[in-house]
Amino acid sequence: GPDGKDRDREGKAPDPARDGRPVAPPTPDEIRASLADAGYREVGQILQQGPVTVAQATNPEGEPVLVEVGIDGEVLRELNR
C-alpha cells in the first residue's frame, strides 16, 4: 500500500512463497520454458504432483529423463526413465 508496509526493506514486493499465501505451480508452458533454459529438449508429458511437477524430457546429454520441477520453476532433480 501507500504506506510501504507490504514491501521489504529493499523495496521489492515480498516473495509470495514466504508470506503465507499458497503459490500456484508453474503452468505447462512455464515448465517447458524453464526446461528449455536449462538445456532440456523434447519435453513430453507434464504431470502435476502437488507442489512438484514432473516432466518427461531429454537432458543435455541426450538421455531420456524425468525432471522434477519445484513450485518456483527450478529444476529439483532428474531421474532416468
Side-chain angles (χ1 to χ4, degrees), residues 25-36 42-49 52-57 65-69 81:
T27 65
D29 284 346
E30 290 168 338
I31 295 288
R32 288 177 202 281
S34 288
L35 293 178
E42 297 171 25
V43 178
Q45 191 173 17
I46 296 174
L47 300 171
Q48 193 66 50
Q49 299 184 334
V52 175
T53 304
V54 179
Q56 294 179 354
V65 293
L66 291 175
V67 187
E68 289 186 359
V69 181
R81 60 178 163 101

Side-chain angles (χ1 to χ4, degrees), residues 3-81:
D3 60 5
K5 281 191 186 141
D6 60 352
R7 297 189 174 270
D8 66 21
R9 274 164 295 177
E10 292 158 16
K12 297 194 305 278
D15 180 343
R18 280 193 232 122
D19 70 0
R21 285 197 303 265
V23 178
T27 65
D29 284 346
E30 290 168 338
I31 295 288
R32 288 177 202 281
S34 288
L35 293 178
D37 287 348
Y40 294 91
R41 46 198 177 77
E42 297 171 25
V43 178
Q45 191 173 17
I46 296 174
L47 300 171
Q48 193 66 50
Q49 299 184 334
V52 175
T53 304
V54 179
Q56 294 179 354
T58 300
N59 72 10
E61 290 76 42
E63 301 162 333
V65 293
L66 291 175
V67 187
E68 289 186 359
V69 181
I71 201 153
D72 57 0
E74 291 298 307
V75 173
L76 301 177
R77 64 183 178 148
E78 175 185 296
L79 307 164
N80 291 328
R81 60 178 163 101

